[in-house]
Amino acid sequence: ALAPRRGWVFPGLDQRLAAAPAVVSAAPPARPYAAAAKTAKKGSQKTKQEETKKKQVTRRWPLMSKPVDDVYLTWYYERPSYDVEEAVGMLKKFQELDFTYPKQYVYINVFLDMALQKKKKVDPFASNVLLPYRFTDETNKVLVFTENEQEAEIARENGAAVVGGVELIKWILEDEIQVDFYVAVPAIMPKLIPLRNKLRRKYPSTKRHSLGHDIPKMLQLFREGLEYMVEDERVIKTRIARV
């Protein structure tokens, strides 16, 4: 409950407050130790640095034995590894238990040894590979450079998206033509130099098997093949199948 007057709660409080002497605020005391405090701060920084140096990083060495339960601290044990057949069986089992989409992709990480005998690393690269079993119906769009009418007809019969000669250079530079890959026959290569900076790694070359006389073989590789690229200096991350 709130009292209407202060005196009702504490009788005589008004008289005591009025008779109390006035308090004069004094200046804060001087700090003759301010400089010493500053030096102490620097010293504390040094001591902190020394303490951090003295601290040793505790490494958790994994144990050699396998865990007994199915719930455990992972850093106490070696990471389990499985054979390909066992790993594929586990993926299929997990798919059934989780009711996931059965045609989802299976991904793989491949770690390459890029060191040579002379301690020089192999430069990262990209390439295409034909898998023994195709897992997708999608095909890439491939352009074939040739000025031979017979070769052009073979390219069209084998599924080339675009076939032509030097007349295509202007359209490619202006982004009027955009395809996934470019292949060419050796006879037209001197005329394709203006496209080198535009196409970059997709510029036809024998190293990438996009330059040659066997047009059907090149078209099959780049239309149906899987492109992979080396990332982080030595890692290939790509999909290889469906569950």
Side-chain angles (χ1 to χ4, degrees):
L2 297 178
R5 290 182 59 186
R6 187 186 304 169
W8 289 13
V9 181
F10 300 105
L13 182 61
D14 294 335
Q15 291 80 2
R16 290 197 297 269
L17 290 176
V23 180
V24 180
S25 60
R31 293 183 59 192
Y33 52 88
K38 191 173 182 181
T39 54
K41 188 177 181 181
K42 289 183 179 180
S44 62
Q45 290 181 355
K46 291 182 179 180
T47 54
K48 287 181 180 179
Q49 292 178 358
E50 292 176 357
E51 288 178 359
T52 53
K53 288 181 180 180
K54 290 180 181 179
K55 288 183 179 179
Q56 295 181 354
V57 180
T58 57
R59 296 187 61 182
R60 295 168 176 169
W61 296 98
L63 303 179
M64 297 302 294
S65 59
K66 294 182 180 180
V68 179
D69 300 324
D70 56 355
V71 179
Y72 56 92
L73 299 176
T74 56
W75 57 79
Y76 282 154
Y77 301 92
E78 289 187 342
R79 188 174 182 178
S81 60
Y82 307 94
D83 295 334
V84 176
E85 295 182 3
E86 187 178 1
V88 171
M90 293 173 65
L91 286 176
K92 292 183 178 181
K93 184 178 179 180
F94 296 156
Q95 180 269 326
E96 295 175 358
L97 295 175
D98 296 339
F99 299 100
T100 54
Y101 184 56
K103 291 188 177 182
Q104 68 178 3
Y105 292 111
V106 177
Y107 293 85
I108 187 173
N109 291 355
V110 183
F111 296 86
L112 304 178
D113 184 5
M114 302 285 278
L116 300 178
Q117 294 180 355
K118 296 182 179 179
K119 297 183 179 180
K120 291 183 179 180
K121 292 185 178 180
V122 181
D123 294 331
F125 60 90
S127 185
N128 287 60
V129 61
L130 275 175
L131 298 179
Y133 300 100
R134 296 191 67 234
F135 56 89
T136 177
D137 297 331
E138 301 173 0
T139 55
N140 300 315
K141 294 181 179 179
V142 184
L143 183 147
V144 179
F145 287 109
T146 180
E147 293 180 330
N148 187 303
E149 187 59 33
Q150 186 177 359
E151 293 176 342
E153 187 64 26
I154 294 174
R156 296 188 188 97
E157 291 176 356
N158 286 270
V162 182
V163 182
V166 293
E167 71 276 2
L168 302 178
I169 296 178
K170 180 181 178 182
W171 295 346
I172 295 173
L173 292 174
E174 296 178 355
D175 294 329
E176 294 292 333
I177 296 178
Q178 293 183 355
V179 296
D180 299 311
F181 298 101
Y182 303 82
V183 299
V185 294
I188 199 175
M189 286 305 296
K191 301 178 182 179
L192 301 181
I193 296 177
L195 293 176
R196 184 184 295 273
N197 293 332
K198 178 70 175 180
L199 302 183
R200 295 185 180 181
R201 65 182 182 85
K202 292 186 177 181
Y203 188 76
S205 66
T206 54
K207 187 177 181 179
R208 293 205 61 190
H209 308 288
S210 57
L211 176 62
H213 295 282
D214 196 342
I215 295 177
K217 184 177 180 181
M218 291 190 297
L219 282 172
Q220 183 185 12
L221 174 61
F222 289 97
R223 288 183 74 247
E224 304 177 3
L226 174 69
E227 184 183 25
Y228 63 90
M229 184 182 304
V230 179
E231 303 175 8
D232 301 329
E233 295 184 353
R234 67 187 189 99
V235 184
I236 297 176
K237 302 177 182 179
T238 185
R239 56 188 186 184
I240 58 171
R242 293 181 184 269
V243 177

